[in-house]
Amino acid sequence: MVTTQMAASSISAKGFVSFEGLRSTSNVKIECFGHLKQNVRFFHGLVVKAATVVAPKYTSVKPLSDRVLVKIKTAEEKTVGGILLPTTAQSNPQGGEIVAVGEGRIIGKSKVEISVKTGTQVLYSKYLGTEVQFDGSKHLILKEDDIVGILETEDIKDLQPLNDRVLIKVAEAEEKTAGGLFLSESSKEKPSIGTVVAVGPGPLDEEGNRTLLSVSPGNTVLYSKYAGNDFKGVDGSDYITLRASDVMAVLS
Protein backbone atom coordinates (compact mmCIF):
# COMPACT_ATOMS: atom_id res chain seq x y z
CA MET A 1 0.00 0.00 0.00
CA VAL A 2 1.33 3.42 -0.93
CA THR A 3 1.34 6.03 1.77
CA THR A 4 2.21 9.70 1.67
CA GLN A 5 4.36 11.17 4.41
CA MET A 6 3.43 14.74 5.36
CA ALA A 7 5.32 16.88 7.81
CA ALA A 8 3.44 19.23 10.14
CA SER A 9 2.18 22.08 8.02
CA SER A 10 -0.24 24.96 8.13
CA ILE A 11 -2.48 25.95 5.22
CA SER A 12 -4.65 29.05 5.08
CA ALA A 13 -7.57 28.90 2.68
CA LYS A 14 -10.86 30.58 1.81
CA GLY A 15 -14.03 29.36 0.25
CA PHE A 16 -14.58 26.05 2.04
CA VAL A 17 -18.34 25.71 1.64
CA SER A 18 -18.52 21.99 2.39
CA PHE A 19 -17.41 22.25 6.00
CA GLU A 20 -20.43 22.21 8.29
CA GLY A 21 -20.78 25.39 10.31
CA LEU A 22 -18.30 27.41 8.22
CA ARG A 23 -19.35 30.02 5.70
CA SER A 24 -17.58 30.47 2.40
CA THR A 25 -15.95 33.67 3.65
CA SER A 26 -14.40 32.04 6.71
CA ASN A 27 -10.62 31.87 7.04
CA VAL A 28 -9.74 28.29 7.85
CA LYS A 29 -6.45 27.08 9.27
CA ILE A 30 -5.73 23.43 8.55
CA GLU A 31 -2.99 21.59 10.39
CA CYS A 32 -1.99 18.13 9.19
CA PHE A 33 0.09 15.68 11.17
CA GLY A 34 1.32 12.16 10.63
CA HIS A 35 0.57 9.77 7.76
CA LEU A 36 -2.24 10.37 5.29
CA LYS A 37 -3.19 7.40 3.13
CA GLN A 38 -4.10 7.90 -0.50
CA ASN A 39 -7.67 7.36 -1.66
CA VAL A 40 -9.07 7.49 1.87
CA ARG A 41 -12.18 9.54 2.52
CA PHE A 42 -11.58 10.21 6.19
CA PHE A 43 -8.24 11.66 7.28
CA HIS A 44 -7.14 11.01 10.85
CA GLY A 45 -5.11 13.80 12.40
CA LEU A 46 -6.81 16.54 10.37
CA VAL A 47 -7.67 19.54 12.53
CA VAL A 48 -9.83 22.39 11.28
CA LYS A 49 -9.95 25.47 13.47
CA ALA A 50 -11.31 28.89 12.58
CA ALA A 51 -11.21 31.95 14.82
CA THR A 52 -14.49 33.86 15.07
CA VAL A 53 -13.85 37.47 14.07
CA VAL A 54 -15.83 39.99 16.16
CA ALA A 55 -16.85 43.04 14.08
CA PRO A 56 -15.36 46.41 15.17
CA LYS A 57 -18.83 47.74 16.05
CA TYR A 58 -18.81 45.47 19.12
CA THR A 59 -16.65 47.07 21.81
CA SER A 60 -16.74 44.39 24.51
CA VAL A 61 -17.10 40.64 25.01
CA LYS A 62 -18.81 39.57 28.24
CA PRO A 63 -18.44 35.86 29.10
CA LEU A 64 -21.46 34.17 30.66
CA SER A 65 -21.82 31.67 33.49
CA ASP A 66 -18.47 30.04 34.44
CA ARG A 67 -16.64 31.16 31.30
CA VAL A 68 -13.66 33.49 31.08
CA LEU A 69 -12.12 35.53 28.26
CA VAL A 70 -8.34 35.10 27.93
CA LYS A 71 -6.08 37.27 25.78
CA ILE A 72 -3.69 34.75 24.27
CA LYS A 73 0.00 35.26 24.90
CA THR A 74 1.94 35.91 21.69
CA ALA A 75 4.09 33.00 20.49
CA GLU A 76 7.84 33.35 20.89
CA GLU A 77 9.45 34.61 17.67
CA LYS A 78 13.04 34.28 18.88
CA THR A 79 15.09 31.76 20.84
CA VAL A 80 16.75 32.74 24.12
CA GLY A 81 19.89 33.46 22.08
CA GLY A 82 18.04 35.88 19.80
CA ILE A 83 17.72 33.63 16.74
CA LEU A 84 14.54 34.25 14.74
CA LEU A 85 12.25 31.22 14.55
CA PRO A 86 10.27 30.23 11.44
CA THR A 87 6.50 30.10 11.91
CA THR A 88 6.50 26.29 12.00
CA ALA A 89 9.00 26.27 14.88
CA GLN A 90 7.32 28.85 17.11
CA SER A 91 5.90 27.34 20.28
CA ASN A 92 2.12 27.21 20.48
CA PRO A 93 1.16 29.43 23.45
CA GLN A 94 -0.93 27.90 26.21
CA GLY A 95 -1.11 30.97 28.37
CA GLY A 96 -2.60 34.41 28.53
CA GLU A 97 -4.21 37.12 30.63
CA ILE A 98 -7.75 37.02 31.99
CA VAL A 99 -9.51 40.11 30.59
CA ALA A 100 -13.13 39.31 31.51
CA VAL A 101 -15.01 36.76 33.62
CA GLY A 102 -18.57 35.49 33.84
CA GLU A 103 -20.87 35.84 36.80
CA GLY A 104 -20.21 32.31 38.08
CA ARG A 105 -22.49 29.30 38.30
CA ILE A 106 -25.09 27.75 40.57
CA ILE A 107 -24.17 24.48 42.31
CA GLY A 108 -26.99 23.07 44.38
CA LYS A 109 -28.40 26.10 46.20
CA SER A 110 -25.14 28.01 46.24
CA LYS A 111 -23.73 30.50 43.76
CA VAL A 112 -20.04 29.93 43.15
CA GLU A 113 -18.09 32.87 41.78
CA ILE A 114 -15.17 32.43 39.42
CA SER A 115 -11.93 32.09 41.39
CA VAL A 116 -9.69 33.97 38.94
CA LYS A 117 -9.75 37.73 38.54
CA THR A 118 -9.13 39.99 35.56
CA GLY A 119 -5.44 40.71 35.02
CA THR A 120 -4.38 37.25 36.20
CA GLN A 121 -1.84 35.35 34.06
CA VAL A 122 -3.01 31.76 33.53
CA LEU A 123 -2.20 28.55 31.70
CA TYR A 124 -5.01 26.57 30.07
CA SER A 125 -5.51 23.13 28.56
CA LYS A 126 -4.65 22.61 24.90
CA TYR A 127 -7.33 22.32 22.22
CA LEU A 128 -10.16 23.63 24.40
CA GLY A 129 -12.27 26.78 24.18
CA THR A 130 -13.37 28.98 21.29
CA GLU A 131 -10.86 31.29 19.65
CA VAL A 132 -12.07 34.85 19.05
CA GLN A 133 -10.35 37.62 17.09
CA PHE A 134 -11.24 40.77 19.02
CA ASP A 135 -9.82 44.27 19.27
CA GLY A 136 -6.89 43.31 17.03
CA SER A 137 -5.78 40.40 19.24
CA LYS A 138 -6.49 36.71 19.60
CA HIS A 139 -8.60 35.70 22.57
CA LEU A 140 -10.02 32.47 23.91
CA ILE A 141 -13.37 31.90 25.60
CA LEU A 142 -13.24 28.85 27.82
CA LYS A 143 -14.68 27.44 31.02
CA GLU A 144 -12.95 28.18 34.30
CA ASP A 145 -12.40 24.44 34.78
CA ASP A 146 -10.25 24.42 31.62
CA ILE A 147 -7.72 26.70 33.32
CA VAL A 148 -4.76 24.66 34.57
CA GLY A 149 -3.44 27.24 36.99
CA ILE A 150 -2.10 30.73 37.70
CA LEU A 151 1.43 31.52 36.54
CA GLU A 152 2.72 35.02 37.24
CA THR A 153 6.39 34.19 36.42
CA GLU A 154 8.17 32.61 33.45
CA ASP A 155 8.96 29.37 35.30
CA ILE A 156 6.44 26.53 35.36
CA LYS A 157 7.62 25.42 38.82
CA ASP A 158 5.85 28.52 40.22
CA LEU A 159 2.46 27.43 38.86
CA GLN A 160 -0.47 27.59 41.28
CA PRO A 161 -2.81 24.78 40.13
CA LEU A 162 -6.56 25.37 40.22
CA ASN A 163 -9.42 23.05 41.17
CA ASP A 164 -8.33 19.38 40.95
CA ARG A 165 -5.10 20.04 39.01
CA VAL A 166 -1.69 18.79 40.16
CA LEU A 167 1.79 19.99 39.13
CA ILE A 168 4.39 17.20 38.98
CA LYS A 169 8.13 17.32 38.34
CA VAL A 170 8.82 14.35 36.10
CA ALA A 171 11.48 11.87 37.23
CA GLU A 172 14.49 11.65 34.95
CA ALA A 173 14.60 8.72 32.52
CA GLU A 174 16.96 5.87 33.33
CA GLU A 175 20.41 6.31 31.78
CA LYS A 176 21.31 2.60 31.96
CA THR A 177 19.65 -0.78 31.64
CA ALA A 178 19.56 -3.21 34.57
CA GLY A 179 22.71 -4.80 33.09
CA GLY A 180 24.60 -1.50 33.12
CA LEU A 181 24.37 -0.63 29.40
CA PHE A 182 23.98 3.05 28.54
CA LEU A 183 20.75 3.96 26.74
CA SER A 184 20.50 6.29 23.76
CA GLU A 185 18.06 9.21 23.93
CA SER A 186 15.63 7.45 21.56
CA SER A 187 15.56 4.26 23.63
CA LYS A 188 15.03 5.86 27.02
CA GLU A 189 11.54 5.08 28.28
CA LYS A 190 9.48 8.13 29.15
CA PRO A 191 8.84 7.91 32.90
CA SER A 192 5.38 8.21 34.37
CA ILE A 193 6.72 8.80 37.87
CA GLY A 194 7.34 12.17 39.45
CA THR A 195 7.22 14.35 42.53
CA VAL A 196 4.21 16.50 43.32
CA VAL A 197 5.25 20.17 43.42
CA ALA A 198 1.88 21.85 43.99
CA VAL A 199 -1.81 20.94 44.13
CA GLY A 200 -5.05 22.81 43.60
CA PRO A 201 -7.64 23.51 46.32
CA GLY A 202 -9.76 20.58 45.13
CA PRO A 203 -12.94 20.18 43.07
CA LEU A 204 -16.34 21.48 44.10
CA ASP A 205 -18.88 19.03 45.49
CA GLU A 206 -22.67 19.16 44.91
CA GLU A 207 -23.04 21.81 47.60
CA GLY A 208 -20.28 24.06 46.25
CA ASN A 209 -17.68 23.09 48.87
CA ARG A 210 -14.09 22.16 48.08
CA THR A 211 -13.02 18.51 48.39
CA LEU A 212 -9.37 18.09 49.39
CA LEU A 213 -7.14 16.10 47.07
CA SER A 214 -5.60 12.78 48.07
CA VAL A 215 -2.04 13.82 47.13
CA SER A 216 0.19 16.49 48.67
CA PRO A 217 3.33 18.38 47.67
CA GLY A 218 6.38 16.14 48.17
CA ASN A 219 4.56 12.88 47.31
CA THR A 220 6.22 10.63 44.73
CA VAL A 221 3.44 9.41 42.47
CA LEU A 222 2.68 7.15 39.54
CA TYR A 223 0.45 8.82 36.97
CA SER A 224 -1.26 8.00 33.69
CA LYS A 225 1.29 8.18 30.85
CA TYR A 226 -1.04 9.79 28.31
CA ALA A 227 -2.71 12.45 30.47
CA GLY A 228 -2.03 16.11 31.13
CA ASN A 229 0.06 18.87 29.58
CA ASP A 230 3.85 18.79 29.39
CA PHE A 231 6.05 21.79 30.16
CA LYS A 232 9.77 22.52 30.30
CA GLY A 233 11.11 24.40 33.32
CA VAL A 234 13.63 27.22 33.18
CA ASP A 235 16.27 24.82 34.53
CA GLY A 236 15.51 22.29 31.78
CA SER A 237 13.50 19.93 34.00
CA ASP A 238 10.30 18.35 32.69
CA TYR A 239 6.97 19.06 34.38
CA ILE A 240 3.44 17.87 33.78
CA THR A 241 0.08 19.19 34.91
CA LEU A 242 -2.85 16.81 35.16
CA ARG A 243 -6.03 16.13 37.09
CA ALA A 244 -5.71 14.37 40.43
CA SER A 245 -7.85 11.54 39.04
CA ASP A 246 -4.99 10.75 36.62
CA VAL A 247 -2.66 10.04 39.56
CA MET A 248 -2.85 6.28 40.08
CA ALA A 249 -0.71 5.67 43.18
CA VAL A 250 1.57 7.21 45.79
CA LEU A 251 5.00 5.56 45.99
CA SER A 252 7.12 5.25 49.12
Side-chain angles (χ1 to χ4, degrees):
M1 180 179 293
V2 179
T3 60
T4 302
Q5 174 75 31
M6 294 187 66
S9 60
S10 295
I11 305 170
S12 294
K14 291 185 178 181
F16 283 86
V17 295
S18 59
F19 285 98
E20 183 179 356
L22 296 179
R23 298 179 180 176
S24 60
T25 56
S26 297
N27 290 326
V28 181
K29 182 179 180 183
I30 301 177
E31 297 176 351
C32 304
F33 300 90
H35 300 274
L36 297 180
K37 296 183 178 180
Q38 291 181 339
N39 301 323
V40 179
R41 293 184 179 179
F42 300 99
F43 298 95
H44 297 285
L46 182 65
V47 178
V48 179
K49 187 175 182 180
T52 300
V53 179
V54 178
K57 66 179 180 179
Y58 300 108
T59 58
S60 66
V61 176
K62 173 62 177 176
L64 299 179
S65 187
D66 58 341
R67 293 178 177 84
V68 299
L69 180 66
V70 178
K71 184 177 181 180
I72 298 175
K73 182 179 180 181
T74 305
E76 294 294 335
E77 296 182 355
K78 294 183 180 180
T79 64
V80 176
I83 300 174
L84 288 173
L85 295 172
T87 303
T88 53
Q90 292 175 14
S91 58
N92 183 28
Q94 279 182 251
E97 179 184 347
I98 300 288
V99 293
V101 300
E103 66 275 13
R105 55 178 171 152
I106 302 297
I107 299 180
K109 296 182 179 180
S110 303
K111 181 178 180 179
V112 179
E113 295 185 354
I114 291 178
S115 59
V116 290
K117 308 299 183 183
T118 56
T120 304
Q121 300 292 326
V122 297
L123 294 182
Y124 49 81
S125 296
K126 288 183 178 179
Y127 315 120
L128 295 177
T130 299
E131 192 172 300
V132 177
Q133 189 81 20
F134 173 69
D135 197 23
S137 302
K138 288 185 178 180
H139 294 72
L140 198 66
I141 296 179
L142 68 165
K143 287 182 175 291
E144 181 192 14
D145 191 51
D146 295 330
I147 298 175
V148 173
I150 298 172
L151 185 61
E152 299 288 357
T153 73
E154 295 295 326
D155 198 345
I156 188 64
K157 72 178 178 61
D158 298 323
L159 179 75
Q160 303 171 38
L162 295 182
N163 299 318
D164 61 341
R165 295 307 206 293
V166 178
L167 174 65
I168 295 173
K169 184 177 182 181
V170 179
E172 294 184 5
E174 293 293 335
E175 299 283 345
K176 296 181 180 180
T177 65
L181 297 176
F182 283 96
L183 297 171
S184 64
E185 287 297 326
S186 59
S187 62
K188 290 178 183 178
E189 182 179 358
K190 181 181 178 182
S192 53
I193 295 175
T195 302
V196 176
V197 176
V199 301
L204 295 169
D205 61 20
E206 295 180 354
E207 296 180 353
N209 299 314
R210 295 285 180 183
T211 302
L212 295 179
L213 301 182
S214 57
V215 294
S216 303
N219 287 158
T220 300
V221 295
L222 177 68
Y223 57 86
S224 178
K225 185 175 293 187
Y226 304 106
N229 294 289
D230 299 309
F231 298 94
K232 183 73 72 174
V234 171
D235 62 353
S237 300
D238 292 320
Y239 292 83
I240 188 170
T241 59
L242 37 72
R243 293 187 182 276
S245 58
D246 293 318
V247 177
M248 297 183 289
V250 175
L251 307 178
S252 61

